[in-house]
Amino acid sequence: MENKKVNRRIFTSESVTEGHPDKICDQISDAILDDILAQDPNARVACEVCATTGLVLVMGEITTDGYCDVQKIVRSTVDEIGYNRGKFGFDSENLAVLVSLKEQSPDIALGVDIDGAGDQGMMFGYACNETDEFMPMPIMLAHKLAKRLAEIRKNGMHKELRPDGKTQVSVEYDEKGKVLRVDTIVVSTQHDEDITQDNLRKIIIEDVINPIIPKKLMDENTKIYVNPTGRFVIGGPKGDSGLTGRKIIVDTYGGYAPHGGGAFSGKDPTKVDRSASYMARYVAKNMVAAEFADKLQIQLSYAIGMREPISICIDTFGTSKYSESYLIDVVKNNFDLTPKGIIEKLNLRRPIYRQTATYGHFGRHDLDFPWEKLDKVQDLKKYL
C-alpha cells in the first residue's frame, strides 16, 4: 500500500541587526533624511551611503532650504549602533566621511512639481492573517530574533557580543498554508575573541531564541545553528562593505511576497518606491483585517509625472470569495493612490524614517507607523 504524500512546505526568511554593514548605511541615509525633513518638509532627498573599513561615502541628490551637518549625523549614527572602538575596524570617531551630494535633476523635478510620481515603477503590498502583525511568520520571527540579539548587547547583558549579526528562520506549513512548526533557526553574531563557541551557543539559545520563539512551535526536530563557521570576530564594514538599499527583502516581507525592486531608505516621500509601498501595505492590511481575504497582495504601478497609478493588480491566492475586479473597485473607492494623496493620508513629510531602517518597515507593533493603522476596516466592511 502506497504512503499518501503530505504536501508540506518550508519557507525561510532572514533579518539582520542594526550593526550589519548594509543596515548601517540604511540608517545613515534615513538619519540624514530625517534631519532635513525636520527643517524642510518639502525637501527632495535621495541619499545613499556606502561603507567599508574606516570609510563612509554619502552620495546622492538633495534639494532643500535646510542645512544638514552630514559629518555629525554619520558619526552619531555609527556611535549609537555600537561601533565606537578602534579595534572593531570601524568606529565613529576615526571614520573618514566623504560627501558627494548635488541637487535633484530638474527633469525629475518637472514630474514631482505637479504632484506626479517621481519615477516609474511597480510597488507591492502584502498582508496575511497568520500573525497578530498581519505578516508572514518567518520574517516576523527573524526580525524579533535580530532585535533581541541587539537588545542583549546594548543593555549590557552580554558585552561579549558585537554589533553585526544575522538571523534566519525556516517555518513549516501544512497543505492549507497553516503554520505547523519552526524547522530551522540560524543565528550568526559578531563576538569578541575570547568567547568559546559552546558559551556563545548557550547564550544565543537561552537569551535570544527561547524568549522569542513560541515553545509550541519548537520540537525535538527543530534545528538550531549558531555561527555555523564557528567564528565571527571580524564583522561590520571591516568584514564586508555596506550599501544603502541592499536589504530590501529584509525591509519588506522576507521574500514571502514580491518586491518591486525599489529601495526605501534615504528617499523622501515623493519617491513612490517608498510611499506607494507603504500605501500598498496599508491597503492590504486593512483589506485582510476587514476579512475580504486571508491573504492579499496588491501591486501598484506608476509612470513619472502621472498622478494616478497606471495599473492595480490584486491576488488573494484563492482565499477570497470576491473577484479581483470587485476588490480593486473597493480599493479605488476607499484609498487615494496618488502620490499627493498618499503623502497626506500617511502624513509622510515628517522625520519618522530612521526608526524604519532596522527590523522591518512593516508589522511593527513597537512603533506608531501610519501605514500599520487599521483605521479603514469599518469603512471597508460596508462592502462585504
Side-chain angles (χ1 to χ4, degrees), residues 318-350:
T319 67
S320 176
K321 63 182 180 181
Y322 301 97
S323 69
E324 177 184 332
S325 59
Y326 180 74
L327 295 176
I328 290 173
D329 285 340
V330 172
V331 170
K332 286 181 175 179
N333 287 331
N334 287 274
F335 299 93
D336 185 344
L337 302 177
T338 65
K340 181 180 180 181
I342 293 170
I343 290 169
E344 291 178 352
K345 173 61 183 176
L346 301 181
N347 195 12
L348 296 180
R349 294 192 187 275
R350 299 178 293 142

Side-chain angles (χ1 to χ4, degrees), residues 213-284:
I213 305 296
K215 288 183 172 59
K216 64 183 180 181
L217 296 180
M218 303 273 282
D219 59 34
E220 66 276 7
N221 295 316
T222 299
K223 299 175 283 295
I224 297 174
Y225 300 105
V226 176
N227 284 17
T229 66
R231 181 178 170 86
F232 188 1
V233 174
I234 300 172
K238 183 178 180 181
D240 189 11
S241 61
L243 185 65
T244 298
R246 200 156 56 183
K247 282 289 175 282
I248 57 176
I249 299 302
V250 171
D251 286 343
T252 52
Y253 307 101
Y256 207 94
H259 193 294
F264 299 158
S265 289
K267 295 179 180 177
D268 75 80
T270 67
K271 279 71 173 175
V272 284
D273 282 346
R274 181 169 218 159
S275 54
S277 294
Y278 290 170
M279 177 55 86
R281 162 64 178 173
Y282 177 63
V283 170

